[in-house]
Amino acid sequence: DADVTQTPRNRITKTGKRIMLECSQTKGHDRMYWYRQDPGLGLRLIYYSFDVKDINKGEISDGYSVSRQAQAKFSLSLESAIPNQTALYFCATSDLLRTGADTGELFFGEGSRLTVL
Amino acid sequence: AQSVTQLDSQVPVFEEAPVELRCNYSSSVSVYLFWYVQYPNQGLQLLLKYLSGSTLVKGINGFEAEFNKSQTSFHLRKPSVHISDTAEYFCAVRPNNAGNMLTFGGGTRLMVKP
């Protein structure tokens, strides 16, 4: 089984619908992230969470919200989907070294492809 | 703020030929540097990273990258590619002060032809 699991893997929806993408991890990492991938733009950070009580906006948080239900679960919601939110979404985790430093190495899920018509 | 530029969006190459994927970055502070690979229909996985020390970094699958501070570059190289190296490659940078996130380049699609 994958260490970082995303559901659903594919979703087609209509403009205005509410969508939730879910992420769960078995790596025991405290830090979790949501990215979106668009061709030619690489990955852009939507939201991140350093622990259950910590939620932070990333580069492109408008139109999105998140919930950290537990250390292992981090979900991304689109309250009212629009076509330019059509993208491949990735959940990722990271951990700290024993020194407390975060090297930035990320562990990714397999992605959730969302199409908004 | 930092930025990453991958100069080539696509690189076609024949099997067993050498390849170099270029990455340049800008940052006002010292950085950590990464290359990630994304195989078709999969998530990204770490290929190699530079944190400190030797500027020549070796990664998985025979890839290596060299950190050049004066040119702010971190180009990825492999002396002989295989069909199985066909994938998208992402360069990423993170300032080494606490609390900063990774910034990714736009990606380079490596297409290895028989």
Side-chain angles (χ1 to χ4, degrees), chain B residues 3-109:
Chain B
S3 66
V4 181
T5 302
Q6 293 183 241
L7 296 162
D8 305 296
S9 60
Q10 294 186 73
V11 173
V13 63
F14 286 106
E15 193 173 19
E16 298 183 6
V19 70
E20 179 179 81
L21 306 183
R22 296 179 293 169
C23 172
N24 287 88
Y25 70 93
S26 67
S27 176
S28 56
V29 300
S30 296
V31 295
Y32 298 143
L33 294 153
F34 304 80
W35 277 98
Y36 282 84
V37 59
Q38 183 182 25
Y39 298 106
N41 300 314
Q42 295 185 26
L44 284 73
Q45 57 183 277
L46 183 68
L47 200 56
L48 50 77
K49 62 186 176 186
Y50 171 80
L51 304 182
S52 64
S54 173
T55 57
L56 182 63
V57 181
K58 294 188 183 298
I60 61 172
N61 301 336
F63 283 92
E64 64 180 30
E66 186 155 20
F67 170 51
N68 187 318
K69 188 174 182 179
S70 63
Q71 297 187 3
T72 60
S73 67
F74 191 55
H75 301 332
L76 181 70
R77 294 190 289 260
K78 186 170 183 179
S80 175
V81 294
H82 302 291
I83 296 288
S84 59
D85 293 323
T86 294
E88 188 146 21
Y89 292 79
F90 293 94
C91 182
V93 63
R94 176 185 174 274
N96 64 8
N97 25 4
N100 284 288
M101 300 294 112
L102 278 177
T103 297
F104 286 86
T108 298
R109 185 169 298 279

Side-chain angles (χ1 to χ4, degrees), chain A residues 8-24:
Chain A
R9 293 292 311 280
N10 287 283
R11 182 73 181 268
I12 299 173
T13 191
K14 294 182 178 180
T15 296
K17 294 293 187 180
R18 184 177 187 274
I19 293 296
M20 179 180 286
L21 305 180
E22 297 185 340
C23 176
S24 64

Side-chain angles (χ1 to χ4, degrees), chain A residues 42 80 83 87 97 105-106:
Chain A
S80 180
L97 299 175
E105 180 177 351
L106 298 174

Side-chain angles (χ1 to χ4, degrees), chain A residues 69-81:
Chain A
Q69 301 95 325
Q71 186 210 33
K73 296 184 182 296
F74 191 37
S75 59
L76 176 71
S77 294
L78 288 69
E79 296 301 326
S80 180

